[in-house]
Amino acid sequence: MIISVASGKGGTGKTTIATNLAVSVGDDVQLLDCDVEEPNVHLFLNPTIKETEKVSAPVPAVDEAKCTFCGKCAEICQFKAIMVLGEVILTFPEMCHSCGGCMKVCPAGAIKETGRELGVIERGSRNGVDFVHGRLRVGEAMSPPLIRKVRSFTRPELLTIIDAPPGTSCPVIASMKGSDFVLLVTEPTPFGLHDLKLAVEAVRILGILHGIVINRSDIGNVQVKDYAANMKIPVLMEIPFSRKIAEAYSRGQLIVDAMPEWREKFLFLNSRVKKLVNQS
């Protein structure tokens, strides 16, 4: 089973839920940090990193000695990553989506592929929890290719928990796609409700089962619960605003390590998700 932990905005507690859930399950679990622009699962999980791998994406390299400047490469590129200006051809690797279309349509065979570094993948483990995350290269604009690389390490024999990026844009879709269930983490505030609605719309377009976790549940208002009831979305867990939890977080400590009684609560969350998936 693949469980994605997502939210419509940052700072709601996605990583808190993902890490504590993974550590509570313990054995036969995998945690993938797909927030490659700002990965922070490792700060709480403290895994032992065993493998590091550079990730590159193919981009076009033009041999101008062969190029006839016919412009077919520019015509097929929907992202303006290659342009022909008279007898000058320009490529913009940062805009390339690595589809390979320009190379296929070139009648002169003047286009080959070269690599552009996207970032690195790091793999490790902690007490039976298999860990993978990506680190996007500074200045790199497109994270989905690196996210897909992180997702490629999914081990079907394990429970896989994905810490998705915040928001509802392409990186989030790339992270959640193919999941069995999405835990939407929110907080009971007007901003939290607004972004939760956006996240629910995205998940429903993908047709993925979902439920809500309300963090800092005893502050704000009841509008999130009212929305969940109206939309028939189950609220699977509530985490109160707690000084002890905040102190543990500020130390980079997991809730289940600082407050062991919470381990059963996260295990119960896992069992509720399993039940909903099995009933679908």
Side-chain angles (χ1 to χ4, degrees):
M1 184 167 64
I2 300 174
I3 302 173
S4 287
V5 184
S7 66
K9 63 184 288 292
T12 58
K14 283 187 304 82
T15 299
T16 296
I17 301 303
T19 51
N20 283 278
L21 179 59
V23 170
S24 295
V25 174
D27 297 326
D28 298 325
V29 63
Q30 178 183 47
L31 181 53
L32 306 182
D33 189 350
C34 288
D35 189 1
V36 298
E37 295 182 59
E38 295 185 83
N40 61 356
V41 163
H42 63 286
L43 299 177
F44 299 92
L45 194 66
N46 292 314
T48 300
I49 301 298
K50 300 175 182 177
E51 297 178 28
T52 301
E53 173 188 348
K54 288 186 178 181
V55 179
S56 299
V59 295
V62 182
D63 183 348
E64 292 196 12
K66 293 182 179 180
C67 182
T68 62
F69 306 101
C70 66
K72 290 186 177 180
C73 55
E75 290 175 9
I76 197 172
C77 183
Q78 300 299 300
F79 302 99
K80 309 303 180 186
I82 189 165
M83 296 181 65
V84 179
L85 303 173
E87 294 189 357
V88 176
I89 187 162
L90 302 175
T91 60
F92 303 93
E94 293 79 9
M95 300 173 68
C96 178
H97 283 56
S98 304
C99 70
C102 58
M103 187 171 63
K104 290 182 179 179
V105 301
C106 179
I111 301 177
K112 303 297 181 185
E113 288 183 338
T114 186
R116 175 171 61 88
E117 185 178 336
L118 296 175
V120 298
I121 298 288
E122 294 180 325
R123 304 179 63 191
S125 63
R126 169 198 154 151
N127 298 335
V129 177
D130 188 65
F131 168 75
V132 184
H133 77 174
R135 293 179 182 269
L136 195 68
R137 180 179 62 85
V138 174
E140 176 59 47
M142 290 194 298
S143 59
L146 187 59
I147 291 171
R148 287 192 288 270
K149 183 64 176 179
V150 174
R151 286 291 309 269
S152 73
F153 289 98
T154 300
R155 295 172 59 185
E157 75 275 14
L158 301 181
L159 166 65
T160 298
I161 298 170
I162 296 171
D163 186 11
T168 55
S169 59
C170 294
V172 183
I173 302 303
S175 302
M176 295 191 304
K177 195 172 181 180
S179 298
D180 297 295
F181 198 91
V182 176
L183 284 171
L184 296 170
V185 184
T186 189
E187 52 193 17
T189 64
F191 285 121
L193 176 60
H194 175 271
D195 294 319
L196 173 64
K197 290 179 179 179
L198 297 177
V200 168
E201 289 177 15
V203 172
R204 290 193 166 180
I205 289 173
L206 294 174
I208 305 174
L209 289 173
H210 50 284
I212 294 173
V213 174
I214 304 177
N215 195 17
R216 296 182 282 270
S217 59
D218 49 352
I219 62 173
N221 54 51
V222 298
Q223 291 182 358
V224 166
K225 288 184 178 180
D226 291 343
Y227 169 76
N230 291 334
M231 299 296 290
K232 295 182 172 56
I233 305 173
V235 175
L236 300 177
M237 188 181 203
E238 295 184 37
I239 300 177
F241 184 69
S242 162
R243 183 181 180 88
K244 287 187 69 175
I245 291 176
E247 288 176 348
Y249 181 88
S250 67
R251 292 192 298 266
Q253 190 176 15
L254 295 172
I255 296 174
V256 296
D257 288 340
M259 305 164 66
E261 65 271 18
W262 274 87
R263 190 175 298 266
E264 286 301 318
K265 297 179 182 180
F266 279 97
L267 287 174
F268 183 58
L269 171 64
N270 183 53
S271 67
R272 295 189 72 183
V273 171
K274 277 186 178 180
K275 184 176 180 180
L276 288 170
V277 171
N278 290 334
Q279 289 175 345
S280 65

